[in-house]
């Protein structure tokens, strides 16, 4: 049987229940490290110049039609994606707000810190490192159980509602977003394809080890677990 979302111990808690579920300092640290690392992953993929992730193909495509930085486009997109949470009954939290407001600036900052490598082997290393770092970062901050980011809440919400595995849902989302990004003029490459097909399985793998087990009594008493 394929492991689905509930097998990892991810709870769909409301904001207050998330904060009361125990191990809060550790979970906040995981959240911030995960978001920062995600910004690093974005920079590695873009500066590797072998194809950005599907979401960033979309973000870059939008930036071609609007006078905004990549990070600003990411923030606006995140707010728009939150609207898709309504029918999924996905619970937001501190992590949702942090992802919405910080991931874009973290991406812009890391893009200033990294330069495009001059050699192909190093560019390939950037590309591969970006894919692995993104999956690890996603599992790290989603596993903190403080509310997933808008894009990952879409992933976890669909997985919970459909019963599909994380890798299946994540791959479907990445391919859909990629198609829209290409239409908008975003640049694709081998890294884009690798990311679209690989980040879902890798995220599912890392979630096995990075989900923080919550205080069961608090979670049960909240009445907000679905």
């Amino acid at each position: 049987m394929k492991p689905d979302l509930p097998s990892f111990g991810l709870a769909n808690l409301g904001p207050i229940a998330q904060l009361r579920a125990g191990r809060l300092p550790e979970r906040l640290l995981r959240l911030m490290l995960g978001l920062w690392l995600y910004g690093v992953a974005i920079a590695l993929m873009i500066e590797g110049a072998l194809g950005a992730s599907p979401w960033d193909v979309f973000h870059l495509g939008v930036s071609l039609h609007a006078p905004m930085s990549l990070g600003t486009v990411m923030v606006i997109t995140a707010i728009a994606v939150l609207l898709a949470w309504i029918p999924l009954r996905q619970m937001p939290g501190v992590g949702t707000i942090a992802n919405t407001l910080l991931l874009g600036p973290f991406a812009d900052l890391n893009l200033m810190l990294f330069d495009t490598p001059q050699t192909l082997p190093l560019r390939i290393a950037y590309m591969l490192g970006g894919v692995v770092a993104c999956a690890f970062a996603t599992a790290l901050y989603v596993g903190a159980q403080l509310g997933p980011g808008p894009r990952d809440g879409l992933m976890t919400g669909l997985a919970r509602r459909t019963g599909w595995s994380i890798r299946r849902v994540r791959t479907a989302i990445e391919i859909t977003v990629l198609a829209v990004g290409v239409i908008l003029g975003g640049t694709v490459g081998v890294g884009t394809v690798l990311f679209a097909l690989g980040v879902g399985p890798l995220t599912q793998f890392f979630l096995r080890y990075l989900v923080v087990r919550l205080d069961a009594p608090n979670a049960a008493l909240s009445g907000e677990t679905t």
Side-chain angles (χ1 to χ4, degrees):
M1 181 177 65
K2 292 182 179 180
D4 57 16
L5 184 62
S7 67
F8 296 121
L10 286 170
N12 189 30
L13 303 177
I16 301 302
Q18 289 168 9
L19 295 175
R20 292 177 175 175
R23 301 172 64 179
L24 185 59
E26 174 193 348
R27 291 162 59 213
L28 287 171
L29 179 60
R30 284 172 177 250
L31 168 66
M32 298 308 295
L33 286 176
L35 291 178
W36 174 261
L37 184 58
Y38 203 117
V40 172
I42 291 171
L44 287 173
M45 291 289 293
I46 291 177
E47 295 297 346
L50 291 173
S53 72
W55 273 109
D56 290 324
V57 170
F58 173 79
H59 297 142
L60 291 167
V62 172
S63 69
L64 293 175
H65 303 276
M68 296 182 288
S69 71
L70 176 72
T72 302
V73 172
M74 289 175 65
V75 172
I76 294 174
T77 300
I79 294 172
V81 170
L82 284 176
L83 296 176
W85 284 31
I86 297 174
L88 295 175
R89 294 168 60 189
Q90 180 71 24
M91 293 291 185
V94 173
T96 309
I97 298 172
N99 185 295
T100 299
L101 299 180
L102 296 179
L103 188 55
F106 282 169
D108 279 345
L109 180 58
N110 279 289
L111 282 168
M112 290 188 290
L113 297 177
F114 288 92
D115 294 322
T116 301
Q118 298 302 309
T119 64
L120 181 59
L122 191 52
R123 289 167 61 195
I124 292 175
Y126 269 39
M127 174 189 70
L128 296 176
V131 173
V132 175
C134 179
F136 184 85
T138 300
L140 188 61
Y141 70 73
V142 170
Q145 306 227 52
L146 285 166
R151 301 163 188 80
D152 295 302
L154 185 63
M155 173 187 71
T156 57
L158 284 172
R160 183 176 289 109
R161 286 294 174 182
T162 64
W164 291 1
S165 67
I166 286 289
R167 63 173 176 267
R168 185 177 181 184
V169 172
R170 181 66 181 256
T171 300
I173 291 173
E174 298 292 335
I175 291 175
T176 301
V177 171
L178 172 61
V180 177
V182 170
I183 293 172
L184 291 173
T187 303
V188 300
V190 64
T192 309
V193 177
L194 181 63
F195 188 99
L197 298 178
V199 76
L202 282 171
T203 300
Q204 181 160 310
F205 171 78
F206 286 126
L207 274 171
R208 294 177 181 272
Y209 307 101
L210 293 176
V211 171
V212 178
R213 303 301 172 183
L214 300 180
D215 184 340
N218 283 345
L221 289 173
S222 71
E224 298 177 79
T225 304
T226 60

